[in-house]
Amino acid sequence: MVRIIMNGCNGHMGQVIAGLAAQDPEVEMAAGIDLEDKGLYACPVFTDIEKCDVPADVMIDFSSAKATDKVLEYCGSRKLPLVLCTTGLSQEQIRKVEETAKETAILRSANMSLGINTLLKLIQDAAKVLAAAGFDMEIVERHHNLKVDAPSGTALALADSLNEAMDNQYHYVYDRSQKREKRDPREIGISAVRGGTIVGDHEVIFAGPDEVIEFKHTAYSKTVFAKGAVEAAKFLKGKGAGLYNMSHVINAEK
């Protein structure tokens, strides 16, 4: 049994994860943390993270970047493993994640979807063959009209994965509207689309002479991210201090 503290339990993702936990015999929601107790759960809900004294195996954080510092302090001081799903962290916060990972296990990912994290590996294998053969690499990401950041964290993770496969010899281009020049063969173009209620759509394009190969992932609901977070919590239970990502979860399931 994996006992989970859900930080951000009143949010949409928190409620989805709580629903999945209720249906999973291997998972129990031990407590919730949020700005108020709306009476949604049978377990205790704390409005102050420091007052949460419920024994647990893992915390899942799906809240906001402004809460991340306290989350890291809480988990670090208690040696409580953390599945950190919150995005939009500053460079200073990312460094704090790395420091806290010396005290306890932290799994951080820009996207919790098992599909996306499998895609990260597939496109690396493709890049080593296709980019090396002169194919251009482009990423197109599409999200709903309420998303404030562009490009998405997932698009950047995909670009980083491609670049890593090519020994970090590429640079990223986000906007070509001000450029009137031939495409640099060492660039990865990233385009962002915002509209409607698109949950998340990411396409990686390898364009070569007379042929195009595309890898695409489409999320039809946010449940895919919640499922990944729950699987990550199961993986993280009992793990020693260190920084983990979803590739560790995927490889453990093989």
Side-chain angles (χ1 to χ4, degrees), residues 4 8 11 35-36 59 66 80 98 108 111 127 142 154 169 178 196-197 202 225 238 246 253:
I4 294 173
L35 296 177
E36 60 178 310
M59 175 182 284
K66 62 184 180 182
L80 179 66
E98 294 170 349
R108 175 176 173 263
N111 189 308
R142 305 172 183 87
T154 301
Q169 297 178 13
Q178 303 303 313
T197 58
H202 294 85
F225 311 126
M246 287 300 289
E253 291 183 347

Side-chain angles (χ1 to χ4, degrees), residues 222-239:
K222 292 184 177 180
T223 302
V224 297
F225 311 126
K227 288 179 178 177
V230 171
E231 291 305 312
K234 292 179 181 179
F235 165 82
L236 215 57
K237 178 184 177 181
K239 290 291 187 295

Side-chain angles (χ1 to χ4, degrees), residues 69 88-98 108 156:
D69 289 345
L89 303 185
S90 67
Q91 287 302 312
E92 183 179 350
Q93 287 177 313
I94 292 173
R95 286 193 292 271
K96 189 167 185 177
V97 170
E98 294 170 349
R108 175 176 173 263
L156 292 173

